[in-house]
């Protein structure tokens, strides 16, 4: 075609002008860790399973939870949920109710008899787990999934450890616990109950590897002087008695004192209350200093349990309890005896002072070291001084929670697997944490979180909590998805240069031919999933 | 202000045209707007919305200014719609002519848009614009308000906020920034013509912007949409903050979002999460002299008064309908 007069250039498009050359910084899609995940000792991918719940994919969510934790229903109930305390949503309008969702998904799995996939690999290796508490059972589960034969030896009548012989049934229904343990047995884990290991050396040759998870069951010593056969029971013994002979209610008398201020003290007090006693807790510091969780303290108070603070017991003489009153200086945080005493009258006193590890079973295993605190020492690969012997849970840690026990189990299983296959143990990879500063909360609407109903009656029955699927989906949708793209399309829609391509499946891609590096996409990303990096 | 994301994810509704693959990209890549230009984004959002609402049958007339200069450096052009440019001050008149031509050809389905900056609209083009309103010509006029003559180097315009520093209003001993003149409220001037539809919008609320343009394009007669488009270069803030600045302007009351029909206020968008004017002004270098050691509270009061009067006049408090 001949050009009209004076026209020298063909009309063309600005697409010829690759403005990407202006860029000094470059946006990149990143996936960084969410705070809930980082803080979870079991390392649950909470963000991912919440997204699945939000989409109504409950089974898929359960599959994701159980990759890291075989006890969702139990943990939804009794885990202390550090994830919720650190949740970025907390300061916005309240943390996502992760525990309620986890519990509901766990219950759904029990109702619908969801099971773990059958193990298809077989390593031909045999692992012994000593102790059928959460750490032992979880390790057995993880190891079995990796193809090893696993046997669990458990001293008690039933497996479950402190989940059964510590946590009372009004907080964790035994049907739920039984179902979640049964599911582990169903994949071929052998659990032998009422079998106490008395000498670990005798087992070393029979197994390719051993995981020690005996927990901490030995009652700690107190300095209390005891005279004239008072009725004293240790909290752990109380729980065991109640549990193993549940139909035959233990008689503690009417006036029961619990000595201690931790969660165990609260559980012991509430258990005694349910056995018909009127209960008072004696604690040496102030109520605000109690190591027990505030929510549990409040529940105990609401049930009518009295808490006598700033008191220590010096002597128990028959039914007389001699108490020293303490003074507390808030400014200097000093506790001193006030010189004032009082005498109380008790039918029973429950000691809930703490438990230590019973290391007797290790007799003769010279290479296994015990720390000053009385716990078993392990290296970064969860190994004791004997290469085939690993340990985790309460036996190694002062941080005594079920998730911690499960987290140890997961890590130990990886290390045991590596040991058995002669490969390198998995590394702890910690990516950058997506804190609140990295989010843009302008895109989230305030919404109230779902809450559990109040306790209605004082019994050994669990509180009946159930949420509809819709409620669960709504609650899960409150998740900010910290550090992971949830396809909000802000970057795509806001780019002034049209430099983001959206694929048919919704995937987004930055077109660096045109991206000028303004950074709007990163600022407007609600969940911190875009990072500006230097362009070279 | 808690707006939902562009896909509507967090509220499960309100998916924007901008979030869809099917958007027209009326202003495409390769244009020469600065990094983070609010005007480029505002224009793409507005014209895409109009394109969508008019089933692709639109024609755009552009005044001189950044938008025109950065989108068309001959022979390259960034527009994916029929587009024409004449002069700085005559976009409204040219658009009127285009509308008349289409009408005489019987092409009533092709919708006509005129667009330009605040200078082109409220200052030099005011005569043509007022004439267009007066005749109620079938044109949608969209003003992209970056509150100064950006293309020629940030000179003050009729919509520059009082006290803002520009190349022609430099802070000095006697005045903290520009002499607090009354300025021009172009949306109110449009309303005074009692045309069928007047609206304000912002790139800080794309849902709302798209809704207003989509509505306006299919109304017969004169329509006016005034879009707030922050300019990182002229206002002096980080290029990544454009949307945030636009959002803050809405939240503090200095940029009210409302609609008017036949000269009467019809609807306004309540401020969901109010902030102080300082939160909006502080990140911008054009207001830097209002803070720091030479600051005077009277200067801030001038701006605060405007925000408060907007909140009252346009009913931006929580009780307004939204
Ligand atoms: C009253 C109470 C309430 C608690 N509440 C909570 C709570 O709400 N949330 C929470 O996260 N944590 C709670 N904890 C802590 C938590 O229960 C423990 O941290 C956790 O159970 C530790 O798991 P583990 O597997 O290491 O040990 P354990 O649970 O103690 O299990 C060890 C198992 O090994 C068995 N065993 C011991 N020695 C031998 C042996 N020689 N041979 C064979 N078997 C043996 C034991 O019988 C036991 O079953 C509570 C603890 C108590 C005491
Ligand atoms: C009659 C006339 N006078 C002056 C100019 C120079 N000029 C070009 S663009 C512009 C300023 C445009 O300001 P505005 O309309 O606010 O648009 P912006 O560039 O800010 O987007 C000026 C003064 C011109 N092109 N024509
Ligand atoms: S000067 Fe401002 S309006 Fe003009 S292109 Fe740059 S950012 Fe956009
Ligand atoms: Mg301008």
């Amino acid at each position: 075609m001949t050009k009209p007069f004076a026209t020298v250039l063909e009309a063309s498009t600005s697409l010829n002008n690759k403005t990407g050359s202006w860029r000094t910084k470059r946006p990149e899609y990143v996936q960084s860790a969410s705070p809930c995940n980082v803080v979870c000792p079991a390392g649950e991918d909470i963000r991912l399973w919440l997204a699945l719940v939000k989409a109504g994919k409950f089974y898929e969510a359960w599959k994701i939870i159980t990759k890291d934790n075989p006890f969702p229903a139990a943990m939804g109930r009794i885990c202390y949920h550090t994830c919720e305390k650190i949740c970025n949503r907390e300061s916005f309008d309240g943390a996502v109710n992760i525990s309620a969702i986890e519990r509901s998904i766990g219950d759904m799995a029990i109702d619908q008899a969801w099971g773990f996939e059958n193990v298809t690999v077989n390593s031909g290796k045999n692992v012994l787990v000593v102790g059928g508490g959460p750490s032992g059972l979880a390790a057995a589960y993880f190891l079995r999934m990796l193809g090893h034969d696993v046997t669990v030896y458990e001293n008690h009548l039933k497996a479950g450890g402190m989940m059964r012989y510590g946590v009372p049934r009004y907080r964790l229904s035994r049907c739920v616990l039984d179902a979640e343990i049964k599911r582990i047995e169903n994949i071929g884990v052998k659990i032998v109950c009422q079998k106490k290991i008395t000498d670990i050396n005798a087992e070393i040759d029979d197994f390719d590897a051993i995981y020690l998870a005996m927990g901490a069951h030995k009652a700690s010593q107190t300095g209390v002087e005891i005279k004239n056969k008072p009725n004293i029971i240790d909290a752990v013994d109380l729980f065991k008695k109640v549990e193993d002979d549940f139909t035959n209610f233990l008689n503690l008398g009417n006036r029961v004192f619990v000595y201690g201020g931790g969660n165990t003290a609260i559980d012991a007090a509430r258990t005694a209350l349910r056995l018909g006693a009127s209960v008072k807790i004696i604690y040496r510091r102030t109520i605000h200093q109690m190591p027990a969780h505030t929510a549990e303290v409040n529940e105990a108070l609401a049930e009518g349990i009295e808490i006598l603070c700033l008191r220590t017991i010096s002597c128990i003489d028959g039914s007389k309890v001699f108490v020293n009153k303490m003074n507390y200086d808030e400014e200097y945080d000093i506790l001193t005896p006030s010189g004032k005493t009082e005498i109380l009258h008790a039918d029973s006193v429950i000691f809930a002072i703490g438990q230590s590890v019973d290391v007797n079973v290790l007799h003769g295993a010279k290479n296994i070291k015990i720390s000053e605190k009385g716990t078993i020492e392990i290296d970064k690969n969860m190994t004791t001084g004997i290469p085939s012997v690993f340990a985790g849970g309460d036996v190694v840690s002062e941080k005594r929670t079920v998730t911690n026990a499960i987290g140890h189990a997961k890590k130990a299983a990886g290390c045991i697997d590596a040991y058995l296959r002669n490969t390198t143990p998995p590394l702890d990879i910690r990516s950058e944490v997506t804190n609140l500063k990295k989010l843009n909360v302008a895109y989230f609407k305030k919404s109230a979180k779902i809450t559990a109903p109040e306790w209605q009656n004082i019994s050994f029955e669990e509180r009946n909590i159930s949420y509809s699927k819709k409620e669960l989906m709504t609650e899960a949708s409150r998740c900010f998805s910290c550090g992971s793209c949830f396809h909000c399309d802000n970057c795509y829609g806001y780019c002034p240069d049209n430099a983001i391509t959206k694929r048919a499946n919704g995937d987004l891609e930055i077109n660096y031919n045109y991206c000028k590096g303004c950074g709007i996409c990163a600022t407007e990303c609600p969940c911190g999933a875009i990072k500006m990096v230097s362009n070279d | 202000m808690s707006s939902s994301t562009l896909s509507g994810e967090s509220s499960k509704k309100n998916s924007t045209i901008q979030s869809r693959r099917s958007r027209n990209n009326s202003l495409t890549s390769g244009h020469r707007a600065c990094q983070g230009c609010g005007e480029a984004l505002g224009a793409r959002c507005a014209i895409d919305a109009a394109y969508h609402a008019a089933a692709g049958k639109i024609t755009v007339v552009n005044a001189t200014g950044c938008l025109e200069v950065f989108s068309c450096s001959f022979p390259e052009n960034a527009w994916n719609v029929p587009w024409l440019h004449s002069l700085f001050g005559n976009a409204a008149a040219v658009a009127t002519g285009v509308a008349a031509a289409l009408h005489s050809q019987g092409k009533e389905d092709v919708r006509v848009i005129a667009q330009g900056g605040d200078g082109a609209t409220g200052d030099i083009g005011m005569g043509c614009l007022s004439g267009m309103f007066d005749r109620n010509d079938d044109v949608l006029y969209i003003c992209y308000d970056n509150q100064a003559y950006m293309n020629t180097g940030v000179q003050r315009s009729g919509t520059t906020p009082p006290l803002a520093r520009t190349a022609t209003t430099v802070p000095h001993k006697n005045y903290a920034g520009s002499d607090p003149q009354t300025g021009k409220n172009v949306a109110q001037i449009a309303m005074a013509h009692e045309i069928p539809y007047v609206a304000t919008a912002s790139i800080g609320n794309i849902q709302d912007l798209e809704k207003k343009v989509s509505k306006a394009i299919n109304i017969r007669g004169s329509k006016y949409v005034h879009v707030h488009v922050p300019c990182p270069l002229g206002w002096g803030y980080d290029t990544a903050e454009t949307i945030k600045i636009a959002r803050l302007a809405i939240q503090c009351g200095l940029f009210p979002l409302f609609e008017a029909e036949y000269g009467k206020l019809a609807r306004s968008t309540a401020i969901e999460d109010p902030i102080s004017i300082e939160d909006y002004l502080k990140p911008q270098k054009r207001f830097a002299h209002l803070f720091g050691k030479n600051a005077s509270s009277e200067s801030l009061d001038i701006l605060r008064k405007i925000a408060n009067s907007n909140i009252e006049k346009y009913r931006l408090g929580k009780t307004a309908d939204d």
Side-chain angles (χ1 to χ4, degrees):
Chain A
M1 192 184 103
T2 48
K3 287 178 193 161
F5 173 72
T7 302
V8 288
L9 296 167
E10 294 287 348
S12 70
T13 160
S14 62
L15 293 172
N16 294 337
N17 185 30
K18 302 288 189 316
T19 50
S21 63
W22 303 11
R23 198 171 54 237
T24 56
K25 281 181 295 178
R26 178 164 48 105
E28 272 179 8
Y29 290 109
V30 288
Q31 197 172 43
S32 52
S34 60
C36 52
N37 164 260
V38 170
V39 86
C40 173
E44 282 190 28
D45 195 344
I46 296 165
R47 179 179 69 198
L48 175 59
W49 62 254
L50 284 176
L52 290 166
V53 171
K54 172 181 165 183
K57 296 182 177 166
F58 300 103
Y59 176 69
E60 288 80 356
W62 179 78
K63 297 275 286 178
I64 296 298
I65 301 176
T66 52
K67 268 190 181 172
D68 301 302
N69 162 22
F71 300 108
M75 295 310 286
R77 289 167 166 80
I78 65 167
C79 179
Y80 296 126
H81 284 94
T82 40
C83 51
E84 291 180 15
K85 288 176 197 114
I86 203 163
C87 174
N88 277 330
R89 189 133 192 160
E90 176 60 25
S91 60
F92 185 72
D93 61 355
V96 177
N97 197 335
I98 298 168
S99 42
I101 302 175
E102 187 175 39
R103 172 186 176 143
S104 307
I105 299 295
D107 286 353
M108 223 181 266
I110 295 172
D111 286 348
Q112 307 192 15
W114 295 341
F116 301 131
E117 259 150 49
N118 283 332
V119 181
T120 49
V121 279
N122 192 345
S123 70
K125 304 282 184 186
N126 233 325
V127 185
L128 171 66
V129 171
V130 185
S135 204
L137 292 171
Y141 159 75
F142 292 121
L143 287 163
R144 183 70 198 120
M145 291 309 249
L146 291 164
H148 309 297
D149 279 328
V150 190
T151 307
V152 179
Y153 287 166
E154 166 54 50
N155 179 24
H156 283 328
L157 197 61
K158 284 183 166 183
M162 284 300 189
M163 290 198 291
R164 188 186 300 279
Y165 295 101
V167 178
R169 52 178 71 203
Y170 59 86
R171 288 207 289 124
L172 171 56
S173 135
R174 300 311 184 224
C175 302
V176 167
L177 182 60
D178 291 343
E180 292 201 315
I181 296 174
K182 185 84 187 79
R183 198 191 280 131
I184 295 175
E185 284 186 288
N186 287 348
I187 54 167
V189 168
K190 286 187 280 298
I191 303 178
V192 186
C193 287
Q194 290 182 289
K195 177 152 173 101
K196 178 169 183 166
I197 296 291
T198 46
D199 181 6
I200 196 68
N201 297 298
E203 314 295 335
I204 291 181
D205 292 338
D206 292 346
F207 293 93
D208 297 300
I210 296 179
Y211 181 59
L212 301 177
M214 293 93 71
H217 289 239
K218 214 171 71 180
S220 298
Q221 296 300 311
T222 64
V224 178
E225 189 186 343
I226 313 276
K227 285 192 257 182
N228 291 323
K229 296 208 173 80
N231 196 10
I232 295 177
I233 181 166
D234 187 78
V236 176
D237 293 333
L238 168 74
F239 296 133
K240 185 171 179 315
K241 284 210 174 93
V242 171
E243 198 52 39
D244 281 345
D245 195 7
F246 183 67
T247 44
N248 207 353
F249 266 32
L250 192 69
N251 187 3
L252 296 170
N254 181 38
R255 299 163 301 175
V256 173
F257 289 92
V258 176
Y259 194 31
N263 289 312
T264 304
I266 301 286
D267 281 338
R270 293 176 79 183
T271 298
L273 188 76
R274 282 160 173 76
L275 292 172
S278 83
V279 187
K280 294 183 172 130
I281 292 173
I282 299 178
Y283 176 58
R284 53 195 291 263
R285 298 181 150 264
T286 67
I287 193 161
H288 307 292
Q289 291 167 311
M290 287 177 85
H293 289 94
T294 316
E296 297 202 7
V297 173
N298 290 339
E299 284 173 5
L301 290 171
E303 289 183 351
I305 290 166
E306 252 184 83
I307 301 179
L308 309 175
C309 286
L310 291 171
R311 285 170 171 86
T312 59
I313 300 179
S314 57
C315 171
I316 304 175
D317 182 353
S319 68
K320 284 191 209 133
V321 181
F322 292 84
V323 170
N324 287 335
K325 290 188 166 183
M326 309 295 283
N327 275 341
Y328 177 62
D329 185 327
E330 215 167 311
E331 196 180 340
Y332 296 101
D333 188 27
I334 300 174
L335 202 64
T336 44
S338 69
K340 289 187 200 129
T341 57
E342 92 197 319
I343 300 171
L344 306 168
H345 296 276
D347 295 319
S348 303
V349 179
I350 302 168
F351 279 175
I353 301 295
Q355 297 84 40
S356 56
V357 178
D358 183 357
V359 291
N360 284 339
V361 296
L362 303 175
H363 267 334
K366 282 186 225 76
N367 291 329
I368 301 182
K369 288 204 191 73
I370 306 300
S371 75
E372 271 175 27
K373 289 183 172 147
T375 54
I376 295 176
E377 285 192 357
I378 47 167
D379 67 10
K380 66 176 191 332
N381 293 327
M382 313 293 288
T383 317
T384 64
I386 302 170
S388 68
V389 180
F390 299 75
D394 282 3
V395 281
V396 306
S397 171
E398 292 278 293
K399 252 200 240 155
R400 290 179 177 160
T401 65
V402 179
T403 17
N404 211 38
I406 294 170
H408 282 177
K410 183 173 111 178
K411 186 168 177 211
C415 295
I416 293 171
D417 184 61
Y419 167 77
L420 294 174
R421 296 178 198 275
N422 216 355
T423 54
T424 35
L427 291 172
D428 278 331
I429 306 164
R430 286 284 183 214
S431 76
E432 222 175 295
V433 187
T434 318
N435 54 25
L436 193 57
K437 267 198 241 124
K438 295 194 178 122
L439 307 182
N440 188 339
V441 296
Y443 294 100
F444 299 108
K445 289 211 178 350
K446 299 240 156 115
S447 63
K449 73 170 179 186
I450 49 171
T451 48
E454 300 285 310
W455 288 82
Q456 261 127 24
N457 50 355
I458 301 171
S459 78
F460 278 105
E461 288 290 304
E462 226 183 32
R463 226 175 346 168
N464 187 15
I465 298 176
S466 78
Y467 301 106
S468 68
K469 286 187 172 171
K470 191 158 169 281
E471 280 175 302
L472 295 174
M473 289 161 72
T474 308
E475 183 61 22
S477 74
R478 295 179 66 243
C479 172
F480 283 163
S481 188
C482 311
S484 182
C485 171
F486 62 94
H487 295 277
C488 77
D489 294 328
N490 273 6
C491 52
Y492 173 67
Y494 282 131
C495 176
D497 294 291
N498 218 8
I500 292 177
T501 311
K502 183 169 165 178
R503 304 249 169 257
N505 64 1
D507 281 357
L508 300 158
E509 212 172 280
I510 294 163
N511 184 346
Y512 292 110
N513 280 332
Y514 299 109
C515 166
K516 294 171 183 164
C518 69
I520 288 181
C521 53
T523 308
E524 298 313 317
C525 176
C527 58
I530 302 179
K531 196 175 166 181
M532 296 305 290
V533 298
S534 162
N535 197 43
D536 37 62
Chain B
M1 180 187 63
S2 47
S3 47
S4 57
T5 62
L6 294 187
S7 70
E9 256 281 340
S10 70
S11 68
K12 289 212 162 38
K13 48 179 185 191
N14 282 340
S15 119
T16 58
I17 293 165
Q18 281 311 304
S19 72
R20 302 181 203 155
R21 291 179 79 227
S22 59
R23 79 183 188 205
N24 187 46
N25 283 324
S26 304
L27 177 63
T28 194
S29 310
H31 62 71
R32 290 160 159 83
C34 304
Q35 292 158 320
C37 173
E39 187 167 62
L41 175 66
R44 189 186 73 224
C45 292
I47 304 303
D48 276 1
Y51 184 92
H52 193 81
K57 298 205 166 162
I58 57 172
T59 282
V60 181
V61 177
N62 215 127
T64 311
C66 275
L67 179 60
E68 168 262 326
V69 170
F70 71 59
S71 66
C72 132
S73 356
F74 186 78
E76 289 167 2
N77 192 296
W79 292 99
N80 278 332
V81 288
W83 180 89
L84 78 98
H85 165 242
S86 168
L87 293 173
F88 188 19
N90 68 354
V94 174
T96 294
V98 171
L102 288 166
H103 173 73
S104 65
Q105 291 174 339
K107 295 180 182 163
E108 308 282 354
D109 53 341
V110 181
R111 313 299 296 139
V112 181
I113 297 168
Q115 60 180 1
D118 46 290
T121 307
D123 294 342
I124 190 169
M126 183 51 92
C128 293
L129 183 68
S130 175
M132 180 191 113
F133 290 158
D134 181 29
R135 296 182 300 271
N136 199 18
D137 292 322
D138 191 13
V139 174
L140 164 61
Y141 193 104
I142 305 175
C143 169
Y144 303 103
D145 185 9
N146 51 22
Q147 305 185 325
Y149 291 65
M150 295 311 178
N151 187 57
T152 42
V154 199
Q155 294 84 12
R156 180 185 182 275
S157 82
T159 69
T160 302
L163 308 168
R165 177 200 188 107
T166 65
T168 49
T169 52
V170 181
H172 60 88
K173 286 208 284 304
N174 302 331
Y175 303 114
S178 102
D179 214 349
Q181 292 161 266
T182 60
K184 302 185 190 178
N185 187 327
V186 188
Q188 282 289 343
I189 294 172
M191 281 165 72
H193 292 76
E194 300 190 356
I195 56 173
Y197 187 75
V198 173
T200 57
S202 164
I203 55 165
N205 188 341
I206 303 281
Q207 275 88 352
D208 179 71
L209 164 64
E210 288 182 347
K211 235 190 291 171
K212 286 168 176 170
V213 173
S214 306
K215 184 195 273 183
I217 193 75
N218 286 321
I219 296 171
R220 294 280 159 183
S222 277
K223 292 83 57 177
Y224 179 76
V225 177
H226 189 97
V227 188
H228 196 230
V229 288
C231 163
L233 184 89
W235 299 9
Y237 63 82
D238 190 281
T239 60
E241 310 272 83
T242 295
I243 308 299
K244 197 173 131 195
I245 295 285
R247 201 164 36 226
L248 295 176
I250 300 169
Q251 281 174 273
C252 75
L254 280 174
F255 195 86
L257 295 178
F258 63 87
E259 288 174 288
E261 286 161 10
Y262 299 99
K264 286 207 177 65
L265 184 66
R267 274 165 298 275
S268 52
T269 306
I271 300 171
E272 273 190 41
D273 243 323
I275 57 157
S276 71
I277 56 161
E278 285 86 346
D279 289 342
Y280 166 62
L281 303 173
K282 257 193 194 151
Q284 305 177 46
K285 287 210 187 74
R286 63 176 174 156
F287 295 113
H289 53 275
L290 301 185
F291 303 95
K293 59 179 187 318
N294 295 328
S296 77
S297 61
E298 291 98 87
S299 324
L300 280 173
D301 284 343
I302 292 171
L303 288 158
R304 206 182 330 270
K305 242 195 205 144
I306 298 175
N308 289 342
S309 124
N310 282 342
I311 291 169
E312 200 188 305
K313 184 162 159 192
Y314 300 109
R315 303 196 297 263
L316 307 180
K318 258 297 188 193
T319 49
D321 48 281
D322 50 357

